[in-house]
Amino acid sequence: MSERAVVTAGTGGIGLETAKGLARHGFAVTVVGRNAERGTSAVAEISAVATGAAPRFLAADLASLDQVRALAAHLAVEGPLKVLVNNVGAMFAQRRQTVDGIESSFAVNHLSPYLLTELLLDRLQAAAPSRIVNVTSAAVKAARRTFDAAEPPGGYYGFHWYGRAKLANLAYTLHLAERLRGTGVTVFAADPGGAATSMTDGTMTSPKIVSPPLRLLWPLVRRTFARATAGPASVAASPSVFAATDASLEGQTGVLIGPGARPVPVFRGADDLRTIEKVLDLSRRLAPLDDGHGAQHK
């Protein structure tokens, strides 16, 4: 029987290519997304390269914490889980709020993968040795390390707020790796570098996403973004697939896999203990665990 793998935001772009890579390795892949039509198309693409059990699609809006909990409950009853790839990510040109009343960038890019992971830890431990892969971004370098609330002080700038949410998730990833050390569940971050996706071809073309000083340099900034996101999604997915499957990582945890599918130094600030403590406190307040579905915080 094929071992199970889950890829969030797996119906297009980097997520779909990640799902195809896992399917080639023999996993029974479940892709999660919002759109059923895209889900059907993704399953067909994954099926064409799968060497194990048939892939499938599950619908969930990961901006809703209730839907994240429902997704976790659905996945948990199906048994042990070998690989969880939290690929979900979104950048917004204008400030948005989720149905939970939380700023959307922080909710989607951090709270969603945080909550899903916590609620599936017992299923991952049941499949040990197993792996968790959280997709990060070099945008964390532009982030403010303030985590007293979901929203940092000052104006809304989509790129910087995206980077801050990804920084929160990277800090959580490093904490989780240490917390689970010795359990058989290993935890990795994967930086895809960049690729031409709906996010990079849409939101990242607007100068509204950067702070006023960078807007003055927008032609240069835009060209930099364009060069950094010009590659194919199949290449950008390789760090996630490597982190999820490569035998060279056995016995390792808390490693960042960078573009080119090789270990790289963790972005500065992500391993700061005060930052980690602040992120954990905020996450627990905004996305409390449902005791009926998953492991408790330690």
Side-chain angles (χ1 to χ4, degrees), residues 220-289:
L220 174 61
V221 173
R222 175 65 188 128
R223 287 196 297 272
T224 301
F225 281 164
R227 286 195 299 269
T229 59
S234 57
V235 173
S238 61
S240 293
V241 176
F242 181 89
T245 64
D246 200 88
S248 68
L249 295 175
E250 289 179 9
Q252 299 187 58
T253 193
V255 177
L256 171 60
I257 306 301
R262 62 184 186 277
V264 297
V266 172
F267 300 122
R268 189 177 66 179
D271 56 356
D272 176 74
L273 294 180
R274 181 168 174 78
T275 296
I276 292 172
E277 181 181 326
K278 288 281 190 179
V279 167
L280 292 175
D281 179 66
L282 182 59
S283 304
R284 290 163 181 164
R285 285 191 282 118
L286 295 177
L289 302 188

Side-chain angles (χ1 to χ4, degrees), residues 2 18-19 59 94 103 108 120 129 136 147 161 176 178 190 212 216 219 270:
S2 298
T18 299
Q94 296 181 331
E103 188 276 318
V108 172
L120 291 175
T136 188
F147 294 103
W161 285 39
L176 187 65
E178 289 305 313
L216 298 175

Side-chain angles (χ1 to χ4, degrees), residues 146-197:
T146 56
F147 294 103
D148 294 315
E151 302 183 35
Y156 178 84
Y157 311 113
F159 177 73
H160 304 277
W161 285 39
Y162 168 79
R164 176 177 172 273
K166 285 294 189 181
L167 174 59
N169 195 248
L170 181 56
Y172 164 68
T173 300
L174 299 177
H175 157 80
L176 187 65
E178 289 305 313
R179 185 175 128 201
L180 297 179
R181 188 178 292 276
T183 66
V185 183
T186 49
V187 187
F188 301 92
D191 174 14
T197 65

Side-chain angles (χ1 to χ4, degrees), residues 54-71:
R56 63 169 184 164
F57 166 75
L58 287 179
D61 181 355
L62 299 179
S64 163
L65 297 181
D66 280 346
Q67 290 200 36
V68 173
R69 291 187 180 95
L71 172 65

